[in-house]
Amino acid sequence: DAMTRLFFVSHRSGEPEIWCEVRASGELQQLTAHPGLAEWSVHPAHEGRHVYFTDTVGGWRVDVEDGHEECLFRFPAGAGREKGLVGAAMGTTSLSHDDRFWAVPVKTGSLYRFVIIDTCLGTSEVILERDTIGHPEFHPTDNSLLRYAGPYHSRIWTIRRDGSANRLAYARKGSEWIVHETWRPGSREIITANWPHGCTGIDIDSGAVRRVCSFNAWHPSINRQGTLMCADTVYADIGLQLFDPLDG
């Protein structure tokens, strides 16, 4: 959050590794030399000291000051990643705003297990098992609330960190393409691409649905204040678009 480092994944060594740019000097530093690092799992801590990631055997964090790597969670026997780079197969993870909890979906056999790791105590808990669990995201200010992606036909789900209140937040209408969702900070609203018709806002408490924008947004992103969004566009590519998420 202090923006002293910019973290990124690079293949310049031949394999995906975590690097950073030291913003004050522009120096590039390689932080890992870790076989099997899952590049889409990488999540920097908000405090700037650690970067979290998974590999083929478990969940890890690296200390950006001294390069020390610590294994926080070992995957159960037989666990592995789904093939491909779509949805849950990407293996994305989420760290709560206070860096206390780390959400990691783990594929075991035909099911996914939703694992929550306490980064202070080093304990872990499976809060859900189901057919698919992808793209988890903690609420921006509530470390007890998460959203995640289920199957494409019923995509947006919310769940409490203790595993309770697992529910579908939005029922897809017809052939809607619902994808690439994110929380709106300062609210309990999820904004999602409803491609190619624009972005839709979903209030998880009232169920109210509203139009957020009306162009072919693909990967919407939002600022920390919840007042400005940016999205790329696809078919047709009309470039990066900035828009107000509140005025319709």
Side-chain angles (χ1 to χ4, degrees):
D1 285 357
M3 298 182 71
T4 57
R5 291 179 174 87
L6 175 66
F7 297 98
F8 62 97
V9 171
S10 174
H11 289 243
R12 67 190 65 201
S13 67
E15 299 292 337
E17 299 293 353
I18 302 171
W19 288 65
C20 73
E21 179 201 30
V22 180
R23 298 293 294 146
S25 64
E27 176 191 4
L28 300 185
Q29 296 179 345
Q30 182 175 349
L31 300 179
T32 60
H34 193 105
L37 185 145
E39 58 192 303
W40 293 96
S41 70
V42 173
H43 201 306
H46 302 83
E47 35 83 332
R49 181 67 185 267
H50 299 95
V51 182
Y52 290 75
F53 65 93
T54 65
D55 63 4
T56 56
V57 299
W60 300 74
R61 66 182 174 192
V62 58
D63 188 308
V64 303
E65 298 293 343
D66 60 19
H68 173 70
E69 295 182 2
E70 177 185 7
C71 184
L72 298 178
F73 172 74
R74 292 278 180 182
F75 293 161
R81 288 184 59 195
E82 190 175 330
K83 291 183 178 180
L85 280 177
V86 176
M90 294 176 72
T92 57
T93 69
S94 181
L95 196 64
S96 60
H97 73 279
D98 56 1
D99 298 324
R100 178 65 189 268
F101 299 102
W102 186 27
V104 180
V106 179
K107 192 172 191 297
T108 306
S110 61
L111 294 175
Y112 273 86
R113 292 177 176 174
F114 206 172
V115 179
I116 302 295
I117 299 163
D118 187 320
T119 63
C120 292
L121 300 180
T123 57
S124 62
E125 179 184 10
V126 176
I127 64 167
L128 178 70
E129 290 187 350
R130 62 166 300 172
D131 52 348
T132 185
I133 300 170
H135 303 313
E137 184 189 15
F138 275 99
H139 186 276
T141 56
D142 183 354
N143 71 10
S144 69
L145 177 63
L146 303 98
R147 63 146 194 89
Y148 71 92
Y152 76 95
H153 53 75
S154 54
R155 165 95 180 193
I156 301 176
W157 293 73
T158 58
I159 190 170
R160 307 300 299 184
R161 195 186 68 241
D162 62 6
S164 64
N166 180 52
R167 65 184 184 88
L168 184 64
Y170 179 74
R172 191 181 72 158
K173 299 174 179 62
S175 59
E176 284 183 326
W177 196 338
I178 302 297
V179 67
H180 303 149
E181 56 272 40
T182 187
W183 290 106
R184 177 167 67 85
S187 76
R188 286 165 62 86
E189 182 180 60
I190 296 171
I191 294 179
T192 182
N194 184 352
W195 190 85
H197 306 294
C199 286
T200 296
I202 303 152
D203 187 297
I204 67 168
D205 296 319
S206 69
V209 175
R210 68 182 182 94
R211 176 62 58 88
V212 176
C213 70
S214 301
F215 62 90
N216 59 334
W218 188 232
H219 296 98
S221 177
I222 195 163
N223 67 1
R224 291 283 180 89
Q225 295 74 37
T227 57
L228 184 65
M229 296 193 77
C230 181
D232 61 349
T233 50
V234 64
Y235 301 123
D237 181 355
I238 58 172
L240 294 174
Q241 303 291 319
L242 286 174
F243 59 101
D244 185 328
L246 301 176
D247 66 3

